[in-house]
Amino acid sequence: MTAEPTRHRARRRLWTHHACPRCAGDVLAVLRLPHGWRTEQGTEVTGFTEIVLCARCDVDDPITGPIVTFFAVHEIATDRTVDVLARLIRRWIENARPARLDQAALDAEIDAWYRGEL
């Protein structure tokens, strides 16, 4: 009789953010949303965009603040609290929108880079 091979499942990080890109604070979760656009030539470009949930930046937001508070109080989800967390995350998902590009801010940053200010 041969023994069944032991199955090991590698733990994989679900996101690449170790710190919030806005403030370098703690990242609690990341949403990956489908994102795309059409080029001037008409080619469709598709991919994903990520929305980071930060313990510092998102605490005052009416949608994400309750999730930040949940983790501040509970630290992890348990069998007793998972339904509450799921409801909060579903609300975040339903309201999440990728940030719009601020073309004026981008142009100003490009100009500052060319002037050697960045």
Side-chain angles (χ1 to χ4, degrees):
M1 184 162 127
T2 61
E4 283 288 312
T6 303
R7 294 181 187 235
H8 296 281
R9 186 185 302 215
R11 294 190 72 172
R12 181 172 65 125
R13 181 178 292 280
L14 298 178
W15 59 84
T16 58
H17 301 280
H18 300 284
C20 173
R22 295 170 284 176
C23 75
D26 292 334
V27 172
L28 299 176
V30 176
L31 285 181
R32 288 190 77 203
L33 301 175
H35 182 65
W37 62 92
R38 193 170 295 280
T39 67
E40 290 180 4
Q41 293 78 24
T43 305
E44 189 170 332
V45 178
T46 60
F48 292 92
T49 188
E50 293 182 335
I51 300 175
V52 175
L53 176 62
C54 171
R56 194 178 310 157
C57 296
D58 297 316
V59 69
D60 293 327
D61 183 278
I63 301 296
T64 57
I67 301 170
V68 174
T69 301
F70 176 92
F71 283 114
V73 171
H74 300 287
E75 293 187 16
I76 63 169
T78 65
D79 290 343
R80 293 176 57 189
T81 61
V82 72
D83 290 337
V84 172
L85 180 59
R87 193 168 43 255
L88 295 173
I89 290 174
R90 274 194 299 274
R91 183 172 173 227
W92 180 33
I93 292 169
E94 291 167 358
N95 290 281
R97 301 289 176 269
R100 292 193 171 261
L101 174 65
D102 182 341
Q103 189 65 48
L106 177 61
D107 291 342
E109 189 168 325
I110 290 169
D111 291 342
W113 183 82
Y114 278 118
R115 290 189 306 268
E117 297 172 2
L118 292 181

